[in-house]
Amino acid sequence: MDTYIINGRHKLDGSIRVQGAKNSVLPILAATILNAGTSIIHNCPELRDVEAALKILRYLGCSVIRQGDTIYIDSSQLCKCTIPHSLMREMRSSVIFLGAILARTGEAVVAHPGGCELGARPIDLHLKALSTMGAEIKEYAGNVSCAAARLRGSIIDLSFPSVGATENVMISATTALGTTVLHNAAREPEIYDLQCFLNSMGAKISGAGTPVVTIDGVHSLHNTEHEVISDRIASITYLACTACAGGEILLEGTIPDHYRSVTDVFCRSGCTVTTGKDYLRFRCGGELKAVSPIVTSPYPGFPTDAQAPVMAALTKSKGITVFIENIFENRYRHVPELISMGANIRTEGRTAIVTGVSALHSASVSAADLRGGAALVAAALGAEGESIVSGLSHIDRGYEHFDENLRKLGASIYRINDTYRSEQNGTKEKAPQNAQ
Ligand code: EPZ
């Protein structure tokens, strides 16, 4: 299992280009199978989760070719309508393929995605919506099966603005008979990007980004090309790393409008932010001030995916910050690891009370989930001494070239594999994989 070795307190300086959005490219890759033809998707980051989605497309019978950050998909030879447990297990958000497979073939059988580190992750809203559109749904032996010769346009009211359920409805309703009106839809920027992609292949969708999305079913779709938006959570994570280590960075190819709720928090904590349409300059000079409360909520509220990285930044601050995590029931797994670095945090259910300290010290910590792992890297960048972060398979799910980008900004971070660690414990000398 690979680990990062991080020597903290190196100020960050310089510019990096932000990756394409993981949470945009995943539903778009699923949606490509609606059209029995080709889709060309640009700005696709190299991530474990994207590779998992490509594996599913190939399993279903699509041809998939990656050239740099462009992916060419030909789904004309799609020949399966099932996703086995082995593939679902790799990425639980593969449930986003359900609506696309059902709409294309008339049936879909996927292994129930089950829970993950963040919580139970139910899919009841997805299934209720597809059932309303006429799908016959059965759950047996850990599988979910859906069948419908042709889905029918319906009025759907989500009890919670679920991102995945919104995406499954938009995708499956694209070729349904009649119009679907989705109320209490999620409003994340990735929803709007999905609408742009679907409309570029001939769909008739409007309202994405507002609570009401209308999908007029169409009979046929055509080939298309699309560029995925920038990853707002990756942008936020680099800001948190800079807030921890201090310094000034320029994010290029970012969309500041997509994460204003987070840059507002950083500004209130004493950082400086200047923005343009596709860049953001960020400076963190001295000690941060606590900013309280920070309450996670659906977009445009404070994103749950930003909670861990921003908490890492505010562990070293003046004052007390209260976090309230309203989206997932188990999203504080980074807290014990931050405490082992000297942070002062107390959690009670969905509340975390962070009493700022003046410094963190190094520790050997382990990532338990994607954003919590990124938070540990951020904290280590601002801690005295050499820290070790393990569990990188979680981080690799969502951050492209993470340590390379941080090294480019001046961080002392190296990725080493187990072999090197065992050799280090012996006598052989060998430089880490990517030592400068
Ligand atoms: C998406 O997950 C993102 N993943 C998550 O990012 C993100 O944290 C989340 O939206 C919230 O913004 C992708 O886009 C691949 P939800 P999703 O459905 O769609 C409950 C990351 O780090 N719910 O909006 O699964 C659910 O339990 C990941 O990149 C139901 O009760 O999120 C949760 O409490 C983590 N029934 C809440 O809604 C359902 O049928 C939000 O879930 C569906 C969801």
Side-chain angles (χ1 to χ4, degrees), residues 22-23 26 92-93 118 121-126 160-164 188 304-305 327-328 331 370-371:
K22 166 180 86 78
N23 293 347
L26 293 177
R92 64 158 306 287
S93 50
L118 304 182
R121 306 298 291 272
I123 60 169
D124 56 313
L125 300 178
H126 299 242
F160 179 88
S162 154
V163 170
E188 276 72 0
T304 174
D305 295 347
I327 306 296
F328 291 114
R331 202 161 202 178
L370 166 58
R371 307 303 177 184

Side-chain angles (χ1 to χ4, degrees), residues 99-113:
I101 298 170
L102 177 62
R104 170 74 185 269
T105 69
E107 59 179 315
V109 181
V110 302
H112 202 289

